[in-house]
Amino acid sequence: MMDFEFLISLLGESGSNAFGGLLLGCMFGVFAQRSQFCLRAAVVEFARGAIGKKVAIWLLTFSAAVGGTQILITLGELDITDSRMLASYGSLSGAIVGGLLFGAGMILARGCGSRLLVLAATGNLRALFSGLLFAAVAQASLKGVLAPVRDSIAGAWVLHNDGGLELISFLGWGSYTGIYLGVVCMVIAIFYGIKNKLTPWAWIGSVGVGAMVVGGWWFTYHLSYQTFDPTQVESMTFTGPSADTLMYLLTPDNVALDFDVGLVPGVFLGSFLAAFLSRELKLQGFQEGRSMIRYIVGASFMGMGGMLAGGCAVGAGLTGGSAFSITAWVALASMWAGAALTDAAVDREWKTRKGEVSPVGVKEQPALS
């Protein structure tokens, strides 16, 4: 087991936890910015009939997160059975409704929570505005005026399982199933990565993002055994941490310093440094006032949806997916469905030529990414 005694003696327990979030978040930001990892872009590409670079990057990230996490669990280096992702109950209604809302929201806001944070660090003011609203609505859904609505939806269909909500055990599959699925997914991802001629940074960055999910699990697990105060075993997610970070900046005495509070500024810093070194910093804003309506609705949907689903595109899609949380996998599928349906309803403009509908006749506003 990794010894964090020196770090704890230097920064304290809460400070060490926040420092881990800051460091891993910084590396996540670098990898995400350089690879242009984005679930929204992958869904749009796939929904429009293509498996291109965006899908290949997402598959590489997902398979790295799943395979790496499951290998550590099998080796006895990680135990996440007590994590929030695998609690004694889960909300299927929250996962479905929240996933659909979040998927629709990331299409309207042109990026999920993590992507907005990465883009905001590069100078995109649309992303900064959307990210702040996303955090505010998430906080309102957790403890504010929207909390009763969230509780009502989440309580409509609750899945109980005293053994936890881990999909592999729930279905009675073997202990190596997670590794096998991760390897199969990685082989498929490599095939499409080669086919689409991904750049070196796309390969490194996409696998790096997945590795940071594994790193988050590993760090918080090992730290939890060396602290007197309870330390939550967790990894990358951005709905709750964005809300916590916003509240920490406004009322620092009322929010505990932890992994989540370190994560968000870490991602911002890493993304900024990566964009600065690659000369990709550029101020961007809204072209017209009317376009703000789209981003306001999208960010609001993601804030509520992320809280209902138990995580964002990274929190449910990568972290929850790597843990094989039942609700996380349901939420991820719902995000894909919500995003694809919203893209079809909002962003596609089918063109008719010679009486035929062209499936490639797509007109889209300039995307954040």
Short mmCIF file of all heavy atoms in Angstrom, two decimals, residues 169-226:
data_model
loop_
_atom_site.label_atom_id
_atom_site.label_comp_id
_atom_site.label_asym_id
_atom_site.label_seq_id
_atom_site.Cartn_x
_atom_site.Cartn_y
_atom_site.Cartn_z
N SER A 169 -21.36 -8.54 -10.29
CA SER A 169 -21.84 -9.42 -9.22
C SER A 169 -23.34 -9.62 -9.30
O SER A 169 -23.86 -10.71 -9.04
CB SER A 169 -21.45 -8.84 -7.86
OG SER A 169 -20.06 -8.72 -7.73
N PHE A 170 -24.05 -8.57 -9.65
CA PHE A 170 -25.51 -8.61 -9.74
C PHE A 170 -25.95 -9.65 -10.76
O PHE A 170 -26.94 -10.35 -10.56
CB PHE A 170 -26.03 -7.23 -10.11
CG PHE A 170 -27.52 -7.08 -10.05
CD1 PHE A 170 -28.16 -6.90 -8.84
CD2 PHE A 170 -28.28 -7.13 -11.21
CE1 PHE A 170 -29.55 -6.76 -8.78
CE2 PHE A 170 -29.66 -7.00 -11.16
CZ PHE A 170 -30.29 -6.81 -9.94
N LEU A 171 -25.21 -9.76 -11.86
CA LEU A 171 -25.55 -10.71 -12.92
C LEU A 171 -24.90 -12.07 -12.72
O LEU A 171 -25.15 -13.00 -13.50
CB LEU A 171 -25.15 -10.14 -14.28
CG LEU A 171 -25.89 -8.87 -14.72
CD1 LEU A 171 -25.32 -8.34 -16.03
CD2 LEU A 171 -27.39 -9.12 -14.85
N GLY A 172 -24.05 -12.18 -11.70
CA GLY A 172 -23.41 -13.45 -11.42
C GLY A 172 -22.29 -13.82 -12.37
O GLY A 172 -21.97 -15.00 -12.54
N TRP A 173 -21.69 -12.82 -12.99
CA TRP A 173 -20.58 -13.08 -13.89
C TRP A 173 -19.28 -13.30 -13.13
O TRP A 173 -19.18 -13.00 -11.95
CB TRP A 173 -20.42 -11.92 -14.88
CG TRP A 173 -21.57 -11.77 -15.82
CD1 TRP A 173 -22.52 -12.72 -16.11
CD2 TRP A 173 -21.90 -10.62 -16.60
NE1 TRP A 173 -23.42 -12.23 -17.02
CE2 TRP A 173 -23.07 -10.94 -17.35
CE3 TRP A 173 -21.33 -9.38 -16.76
CZ2 TRP A 173 -23.66 -10.05 -18.22
CZ3 TRP A 173 -21.92 -8.47 -17.64
CH2 TRP A 173 -23.07 -8.81 -18.35
N GLY A 174 -18.25 -13.80 -13.80
CA GLY A 174 -16.98 -14.08 -13.18
C GLY A 174 -16.21 -12.82 -12.82
O GLY A 174 -16.47 -11.74 -13.35
N SER A 175 -15.24 -12.96 -11.92
CA SER A 175 -14.49 -11.81 -11.42
C SER A 175 -13.60 -11.16 -12.48
O SER A 175 -13.18 -10.02 -12.33
CB SER A 175 -13.62 -12.24 -10.23
OG SER A 175 -12.73 -13.29 -10.60
N TYR A 176 -13.29 -11.91 -13.56
CA TYR A 176 -12.43 -11.36 -14.62
C TYR A 176 -13.24 -10.71 -15.75
O TYR A 176 -12.65 -10.23 -16.73
CB TYR A 176 -11.55 -12.46 -15.21
CG TYR A 176 -10.47 -12.94 -14.27
CD1 TYR A 176 -10.67 -14.08 -13.49
CD2 TYR A 176 -9.27 -12.26 -14.14
CE1 TYR A 176 -9.70 -14.53 -12.61
CE2 TYR A 176 -8.28 -12.71 -13.27
CZ TYR A 176 -8.51 -13.84 -12.51
OH TYR A 176 -7.54 -14.29 -11.64
N THR A 177 -14.56 -10.70 -15.61
CA THR A 177 -15.41 -10.17 -16.68
C THR A 177 -15.08 -8.72 -17.01
O THR A 177 -15.03 -8.33 -18.18
CB THR A 177 -16.89 -10.29 -16.30
OG1 THR A 177 -17.21 -11.65 -16.03
CG2 THR A 177 -17.78 -9.76 -17.42
N GLY A 178 -14.87 -7.91 -15.98
CA GLY A 178 -14.57 -6.50 -16.18
C GLY A 178 -13.30 -6.30 -17.00
O GLY A 178 -13.24 -5.42 -17.88
N ILE A 179 -12.29 -7.12 -16.71
CA ILE A 179 -11.03 -7.02 -17.47
C ILE A 179 -11.26 -7.42 -18.92
O ILE A 179 -10.78 -6.76 -19.85
CB ILE A 179 -9.94 -7.90 -16.83
CG1 ILE A 179 -9.62 -7.41 -15.42
CG2 ILE A 179 -8.68 -7.91 -17.69
CD1 ILE A 179 -8.61 -8.26 -14.69
N TYR A 180 -11.98 -8.52 -19.12
CA TYR A 180 -12.25 -8.97 -20.48
C TYR A 180 -12.98 -7.91 -21.29
O TYR A 180 -12.63 -7.63 -22.45
CB TYR A 180 -13.09 -10.26 -20.46
CG TYR A 180 -12.42 -11.44 -19.80
CD1 TYR A 180 -13.17 -12.43 -19.16
CD2 TYR A 180 -11.04 -11.57 -19.82
CE1 TYR A 180 -12.56 -13.52 -18.56
CE2 TYR A 180 -10.41 -12.66 -19.23
CZ TYR A 180 -11.18 -13.63 -18.59
OH TYR A 180 -10.57 -14.70 -17.99
N LEU A 181 -14.00 -7.30 -20.68
CA LEU A 181 -14.76 -6.26 -21.38
C LEU A 181 -13.87 -5.06 -21.69
O LEU A 181 -13.98 -4.45 -22.76
CB LEU A 181 -15.96 -5.84 -20.55
CG LEU A 181 -17.09 -6.87 -20.43
CD1 LEU A 181 -18.17 -6.38 -19.47
CD2 LEU A 181 -17.70 -7.17 -21.80
N GLY A 182 -13.00 -4.70 -20.74
CA GLY A 182 -12.09 -3.60 -20.97
C GLY A 182 -11.14 -3.87 -22.12
O GLY A 182 -10.86 -2.99 -22.95
N VAL A 183 -10.63 -5.10 -22.19
CA VAL A 183 -9.69 -5.48 -23.26
C VAL A 183 -10.40 -5.48 -24.61
O VAL A 183 -9.86 -4.98 -25.61
CB VAL A 183 -9.08 -6.87 -22.96
CG1 VAL A 183 -8.30 -7.37 -24.17
CG2 VAL A 183 -8.16 -6.80 -21.75
N VAL A 184 -11.60 -6.05 -24.66
CA VAL A 184 -12.36 -6.08 -25.92
C VAL A 184 -12.64 -4.66 -26.41
O VAL A 184 -12.47 -4.35 -27.60
CB VAL A 184 -13.68 -6.86 -25.74
CG1 VAL A 184 -14.57 -6.67 -26.96
CG2 VAL A 184 -13.41 -8.34 -25.50
N CYS A 185 -13.05 -3.82 -25.48
CA CYS A 185 -13.33 -2.43 -25.84
C CYS A 185 -12.06 -1.72 -26.32
O CYS A 185 -12.11 -0.93 -27.27
CB CYS A 185 -13.93 -1.70 -24.64
SG CYS A 185 -14.50 -0.03 -24.99
N MET A 186 -10.93 -2.02 -25.69
CA MET A 186 -9.66 -1.40 -26.10
C MET A 186 -9.26 -1.85 -27.49
O MET A 186 -8.77 -1.05 -28.30
CB MET A 186 -8.57 -1.75 -25.09
CG MET A 186 -7.19 -1.18 -25.43
SD MET A 186 -7.15 0.64 -25.50
CE MET A 186 -7.12 1.03 -23.73
N VAL A 187 -9.46 -3.13 -27.80
CA VAL A 187 -9.12 -3.64 -29.14
C VAL A 187 -9.96 -2.92 -30.20
O VAL A 187 -9.45 -2.50 -31.25
CB VAL A 187 -9.35 -5.17 -29.21
CG1 VAL A 187 -9.24 -5.65 -30.66
CG2 VAL A 187 -8.36 -5.90 -28.33
N ILE A 188 -11.25 -2.77 -29.92
CA ILE A 188 -12.13 -2.05 -30.86
C ILE A 188 -11.68 -0.60 -31.00
O ILE A 188 -11.64 -0.04 -32.10
CB ILE A 188 -13.59 -2.11 -30.36
CG1 ILE A 188 -14.09 -3.56 -30.38
CG2 ILE A 188 -14.48 -1.23 -31.23
CD1 ILE A 188 -15.45 -3.74 -29.74
N ALA A 189 -11.32 0.02 -29.85
CA ALA A 189 -10.89 1.42 -29.87
C ALA A 189 -9.60 1.58 -30.68
O ALA A 189 -9.46 2.54 -31.45
CB ALA A 189 -10.67 1.90 -28.44
N ILE A 190 -8.66 0.66 -30.51
CA ILE A 190 -7.40 0.73 -31.25
C ILE A 190 -7.65 0.58 -32.76
O ILE A 190 -7.05 1.28 -33.58
CB ILE A 190 -6.42 -0.35 -30.76
CG1 ILE A 190 -5.95 -0.02 -29.33
CG2 ILE A 190 -5.23 -0.47 -31.69
CD1 ILE A 190 -5.12 -1.10 -28.69
N PHE A 191 -8.56 -0.33 -33.12
CA PHE A 191 -8.89 -0.52 -34.53
C PHE A 191 -9.40 0.78 -35.15
O PHE A 191 -8.91 1.21 -36.21
CB PHE A 191 -9.94 -1.62 -34.67
CG PHE A 191 -10.52 -1.73 -36.05
CD1 PHE A 191 -9.82 -2.38 -37.07
CD2 PHE A 191 -11.76 -1.18 -36.35
CE1 PHE A 191 -10.35 -2.47 -38.35
CE2 PHE A 191 -12.30 -1.27 -37.63
CZ PHE A 191 -11.58 -1.91 -38.63
N TYR A 192 -10.36 1.43 -34.47
CA TYR A 192 -10.92 2.66 -35.02
C TYR A 192 -9.94 3.83 -34.88
O TYR A 192 -9.98 4.77 -35.68
CB TYR A 192 -12.25 2.98 -34.35
CG TYR A 192 -13.38 2.14 -34.89
CD1 TYR A 192 -13.95 1.13 -34.12
CD2 TYR A 192 -13.86 2.34 -36.18
CE1 TYR A 192 -14.99 0.34 -34.63
CE2 TYR A 192 -14.89 1.56 -36.69
CZ TYR A 192 -15.44 0.56 -35.91
OH TYR A 192 -16.45 -0.22 -36.42
N GLY A 193 -9.07 3.77 -33.89
CA GLY A 193 -8.05 4.81 -33.78
C GLY A 193 -7.07 4.77 -34.94
O GLY A 193 -6.71 5.81 -35.51
N ILE A 194 -6.65 3.55 -35.30
CA ILE A 194 -5.75 3.40 -36.45
C ILE A 194 -6.47 3.77 -37.74
O ILE A 194 -5.92 4.45 -38.62
CB ILE A 194 -5.22 1.95 -36.51
CG1 ILE A 194 -4.34 1.65 -35.30
CG2 ILE A 194 -4.45 1.72 -37.81
CD1 ILE A 194 -3.90 0.21 -35.20
N LYS A 195 -7.71 3.32 -37.86
CA LYS A 195 -8.49 3.59 -39.06
C LYS A 195 -8.67 5.09 -39.28
O LYS A 195 -8.63 5.56 -40.43
CB LYS A 195 -9.86 2.91 -38.95
CG LYS A 195 -10.74 3.10 -40.18
CD LYS A 195 -12.08 2.38 -40.01
CE LYS A 195 -12.95 2.60 -41.24
NZ LYS A 195 -14.27 1.90 -41.09
N ASN A 196 -8.86 5.83 -38.19
CA ASN A 196 -9.09 7.27 -38.30
C ASN A 196 -7.81 8.10 -38.16
O ASN A 196 -7.87 9.33 -38.10
CB ASN A 196 -10.10 7.71 -37.23
CG ASN A 196 -11.50 7.23 -37.52
OD1 ASN A 196 -12.18 7.76 -38.39
ND2 ASN A 196 -11.95 6.20 -36.80
N LYS A 197 -6.68 7.42 -38.09
CA LYS A 197 -5.37 8.09 -38.08
C LYS A 197 -5.26 9.14 -36.97
O LYS A 197 -5.00 10.32 -37.22
CB LYS A 197 -5.08 8.73 -39.44
CG LYS A 197 -5.04 7.73 -40.59
CD LYS A 197 -4.80 8.40 -41.93
CE LYS A 197 -4.79 7.39 -43.06
NZ LYS A 197 -4.56 8.04 -44.39
N LEU A 198 -5.51 8.69 -35.75
CA LEU A 198 -5.42 9.60 -34.62
C LEU A 198 -4.00 10.13 -34.46
O LEU A 198 -3.03 9.42 -34.72
CB LEU A 198 -5.83 8.89 -33.32
CG LEU A 198 -7.29 8.43 -33.19
CD1 LEU A 198 -7.52 7.83 -31.81
CD2 LEU A 198 -8.25 9.57 -33.44
N THR A 199 -3.89 11.35 -34.02
CA THR A 199 -2.58 11.95 -33.77
C THR A 199 -1.97 11.35 -32.51
O THR A 199 -2.69 10.77 -31.67
CB THR A 199 -2.71 13.47 -33.59
OG1 THR A 199 -3.48 13.73 -32.40
CG2 THR A 199 -3.39 14.11 -34.79
N PRO A 200 -0.65 11.48 -32.33
CA PRO A 200 -0.03 10.96 -31.11
C PRO A 200 -0.66 11.52 -29.84
O PRO A 200 -0.87 10.79 -28.86
CB PRO A 200 1.43 11.42 -31.25
CG PRO A 200 1.66 11.46 -32.72
CD PRO A 200 0.38 11.95 -33.30
N TRP A 201 -0.99 12.82 -29.84
CA TRP A 201 -1.60 13.41 -28.65
C TRP A 201 -3.00 12.86 -28.42
O TRP A 201 -3.47 12.76 -27.28
CB TRP A 201 -1.65 14.93 -28.75
CG TRP A 201 -0.56 15.59 -27.97
CD1 TRP A 201 0.43 16.40 -28.46
CD2 TRP A 201 -0.35 15.51 -26.56
NE1 TRP A 201 1.25 16.82 -27.43
CE2 TRP A 201 0.80 16.29 -26.26
CE3 TRP A 201 -0.99 14.84 -25.52
CZ2 TRP A 201 1.30 16.42 -24.96
CZ3 TRP A 201 -0.49 14.97 -24.23
CH2 TRP A 201 0.64 15.75 -23.96
N ALA A 202 -3.71 12.50 -29.49
CA ALA A 202 -5.04 11.91 -29.31
C ALA A 202 -4.94 10.56 -28.62
O ALA A 202 -5.73 10.24 -27.73
CB ALA A 202 -5.73 11.78 -30.67
N TRP A 203 -3.94 9.76 -29.03
CA TRP A 203 -3.71 8.47 -28.39
C TRP A 203 -3.32 8.66 -26.91
O TRP A 203 -3.91 8.06 -26.02
CB TRP A 203 -2.60 7.70 -29.11
CG TRP A 203 -2.96 7.14 -30.43
CD1 TRP A 203 -2.67 7.67 -31.66
CD2 TRP A 203 -3.68 5.92 -30.69
NE1 TRP A 203 -3.16 6.87 -32.67
CE2 TRP A 203 -3.77 5.79 -32.11
CE3 TRP A 203 -4.24 4.94 -29.88
CZ2 TRP A 203 -4.41 4.70 -32.71
CZ3 TRP A 203 -4.88 3.85 -30.48
CH2 TRP A 203 -4.96 3.75 -31.87
N ILE A 204 -2.32 9.49 -26.70
CA ILE A 204 -1.81 9.68 -25.34
C ILE A 204 -2.85 10.33 -24.43
O ILE A 204 -3.09 9.89 -23.30
CB ILE A 204 -0.53 10.56 -25.37
CG1 ILE A 204 0.58 9.85 -26.14
CG2 ILE A 204 -0.08 10.91 -23.95
CD1 ILE A 204 1.78 10.74 -26.42
N GLY A 205 -3.49 11.37 -24.96
CA GLY A 205 -4.45 12.10 -24.15
C GLY A 205 -5.68 11.30 -23.79
O GLY A 205 -6.16 11.34 -22.65
N SER A 206 -6.22 10.55 -24.74
CA SER A 206 -7.44 9.77 -24.46
C SER A 206 -7.18 8.67 -23.45
O SER A 206 -7.96 8.48 -22.51
CB SER A 206 -8.00 9.18 -25.76
OG SER A 206 -7.02 8.43 -26.45
N VAL A 207 -6.06 7.97 -23.60
CA VAL A 207 -5.71 6.94 -22.60
C VAL A 207 -5.37 7.61 -21.27
O VAL A 207 -5.70 7.09 -20.20
CB VAL A 207 -4.53 6.08 -23.10
CG1 VAL A 207 -4.05 5.13 -22.01
CG2 VAL A 207 -4.93 5.30 -24.34
N GLY A 208 -4.74 8.78 -21.34
CA GLY A 208 -4.39 9.51 -20.11
C GLY A 208 -5.61 9.93 -19.32
O GLY A 208 -5.62 9.86 -18.08
N VAL A 209 -6.67 10.38 -19.99
CA VAL A 209 -7.91 10.74 -19.29
C VAL A 209 -8.47 9.53 -18.55
O VAL A 209 -8.86 9.61 -17.38
CB VAL A 209 -8.96 11.29 -20.28
CG1 VAL A 209 -10.31 11.45 -19.58
CG2 VAL A 209 -8.52 12.65 -20.83
N GLY A 210 -8.50 8.38 -19.23
CA GLY A 210 -8.96 7.16 -18.58
C GLY A 210 -8.08 6.76 -17.41
O GLY A 210 -8.56 6.30 -16.37
N ALA A 211 -6.77 6.94 -17.57
CA ALA A 211 -5.84 6.60 -16.50
C ALA A 211 -6.04 7.48 -15.28
O ALA A 211 -5.82 7.05 -14.14
CB ALA A 211 -4.40 6.73 -17.01
N MET A 212 -6.46 8.72 -15.48
CA MET A 212 -6.72 9.61 -14.34
C MET A 212 -7.93 9.15 -13.52
O MET A 212 -7.99 9.36 -12.31
CB MET A 212 -6.92 11.04 -14.81
CG MET A 212 -5.66 11.70 -15.37
SD MET A 212 -4.25 11.63 -14.24
CE MET A 212 -3.30 10.24 -14.93
N VAL A 213 -8.88 8.52 -14.18
CA VAL A 213 -10.01 7.92 -13.46
C VAL A 213 -9.50 6.80 -12.56
O VAL A 213 -9.86 6.71 -11.38
CB VAL A 213 -11.07 7.39 -14.45
CG1 VAL A 213 -12.15 6.60 -13.71
CG2 VAL A 213 -11.69 8.54 -15.23
N VAL A 214 -8.64 5.96 -13.13
CA VAL A 214 -8.03 4.88 -12.35
C VAL A 214 -7.19 5.47 -11.20
O VAL A 214 -7.25 5.00 -10.06
CB VAL A 214 -7.14 3.99 -13.24
CG1 VAL A 214 -6.54 2.84 -12.43
CG2 VAL A 214 -7.95 3.44 -14.42
N GLY A 215 -6.44 6.53 -11.51
CA GLY A 215 -5.62 7.17 -10.50
C GLY A 215 -6.42 7.75 -9.35
O GLY A 215 -6.01 7.71 -8.19
N GLY A 216 -7.59 8.32 -9.67
CA GLY A 216 -8.45 8.86 -8.64
C GLY A 216 -8.94 7.80 -7.68
O GLY A 216 -8.92 7.97 -6.46
N TRP A 217 -9.38 6.67 -8.23
CA TRP A 217 -9.79 5.54 -7.40
C TRP A 217 -8.64 5.07 -6.51
O TRP A 217 -8.81 4.88 -5.30
CB TRP A 217 -10.23 4.36 -8.27
CG TRP A 217 -11.57 4.42 -8.90
CD1 TRP A 217 -11.87 4.26 -10.23
CD2 TRP A 217 -12.85 4.56 -8.25
NE1 TRP A 217 -13.22 4.33 -10.45
CE2 TRP A 217 -13.85 4.50 -9.24
CE3 TRP A 217 -13.23 4.75 -6.92
CZ2 TRP A 217 -15.21 4.62 -8.96
CZ3 TRP A 217 -14.58 4.87 -6.62
CH2 TRP A 217 -15.55 4.80 -7.63
N TRP A 218 -7.47 4.89 -7.12
CA TRP A 218 -6.31 4.36 -6.39
C TRP A 218 -5.87 5.30 -5.28
O TRP A 218 -5.62 4.87 -4.15
CB TRP A 218 -5.16 4.13 -7.38
CG TRP A 218 -3.90 3.61 -6.76
CD1 TRP A 218 -3.58 2.30 -6.53
CD2 TRP A 218 -2.80 4.38 -6.29
NE1 TRP A 218 -2.35 2.21 -5.94
CE2 TRP A 218 -1.84 3.48 -5.78
CE3 TRP A 218 -2.52 5.74 -6.24
CZ2 TRP A 218 -0.62 3.89 -5.24
CZ3 TRP A 218 -1.32 6.16 -5.70
CH2 TRP A 218 -0.39 5.25 -5.21
N PHE A 219 -5.80 6.59 -5.57
CA PHE A 219 -5.33 7.56 -4.58
C PHE A 219 -6.27 7.64 -3.37
O PHE A 219 -5.84 7.55 -2.22
CB PHE A 219 -5.19 8.95 -5.22
CG PHE A 219 -4.90 10.04 -4.22
CD1 PHE A 219 -3.64 10.20 -3.69
CD2 PHE A 219 -5.91 10.90 -3.82
CE1 PHE A 219 -3.37 11.18 -2.76
CE2 PHE A 219 -5.66 11.90 -2.90
CZ PHE A 219 -4.38 12.04 -2.36
N THR A 220 -7.56 7.83 -3.63
CA THR A 220 -8.49 8.00 -2.51
C THR A 220 -8.64 6.70 -1.71
O THR A 220 -8.83 6.76 -0.48
CB THR A 220 -9.87 8.45 -3.02
OG1 THR A 220 -10.37 7.52 -4.00
CG2 THR A 220 -9.79 9.84 -3.65
N TYR A 221 -8.52 5.55 -2.37
CA TYR A 221 -8.60 4.28 -1.64
C TYR A 221 -7.43 4.13 -0.68
O TYR A 221 -7.62 3.82 0.50
CB TYR A 221 -8.63 3.11 -2.62
CG TYR A 221 -8.45 1.76 -1.97
CD1 TYR A 221 -9.45 1.22 -1.17
CD2 TYR A 221 -7.28 1.04 -2.14
CE1 TYR A 221 -9.29 -0.02 -0.56
CE2 TYR A 221 -7.10 -0.20 -1.55
CZ TYR A 221 -8.11 -0.72 -0.75
OH TYR A 221 -7.94 -1.94 -0.14
N HIS A 222 -6.22 4.35 -1.17
CA HIS A 222 -5.05 4.20 -0.31
C HIS A 222 -4.98 5.28 0.76
O HIS A 222 -4.55 5.02 1.89
CB HIS A 222 -3.78 4.20 -1.16
CG HIS A 222 -3.56 2.92 -1.90
ND1 HIS A 222 -2.79 1.89 -1.41
CD2 HIS A 222 -4.04 2.49 -3.10
CE1 HIS A 222 -2.79 0.88 -2.26
NE2 HIS A 222 -3.54 1.23 -3.31
N LEU A 223 -5.42 6.49 0.43
CA LEU A 223 -5.43 7.56 1.42
C LEU A 223 -6.44 7.26 2.53
O LEU A 223 -6.20 7.60 3.70
CB LEU A 223 -5.77 8.90 0.76
CG LEU A 223 -5.69 10.14 1.66
CD1 LEU A 223 -4.25 10.42 2.08
CD2 LEU A 223 -6.27 11.36 0.95
N SER A 224 -7.55 6.62 2.18
CA SER A 224 -8.60 6.34 3.17
C SER A 224 -8.11 5.44 4.30
O SER A 224 -8.67 5.47 5.40
CB SER A 224 -9.82 5.71 2.49
OG SER A 224 -9.53 4.39 2.04
N TYR A 225 -7.09 4.64 4.04
CA TYR A 225 -6.55 3.74 5.07
C TYR A 225 -5.53 4.43 5.96
O TYR A 225 -5.07 3.84 6.94
CB TYR A 225 -5.90 2.52 4.40
CG TYR A 225 -6.89 1.42 4.10
CD1 TYR A 225 -7.57 1.39 2.89
CD2 TYR A 225 -7.17 0.43 5.04
CE1 TYR A 225 -8.49 0.39 2.62
CE2 TYR A 225 -8.08 -0.57 4.77
CZ TYR A 225 -8.74 -0.59 3.56
OH TYR A 225 -9.66 -1.57 3.28
N GLN A 226 -5.17 5.66 5.64
CA GLN A 226 -4.12 6.34 6.39
C GLN A 226 -4.60 7.62 7.05
O GLN A 226 -3.79 8.41 7.54
CB GLN A 226 -2.94 6.64 5.46
CG GLN A 226 -2.33 5.37 4.85
CD GLN A 226 -1.29 5.67 3.79
OE1 GLN A 226 -0.39 6.48 4.00
NE2 GLN A 226 -1.39 4.99 2.65
#
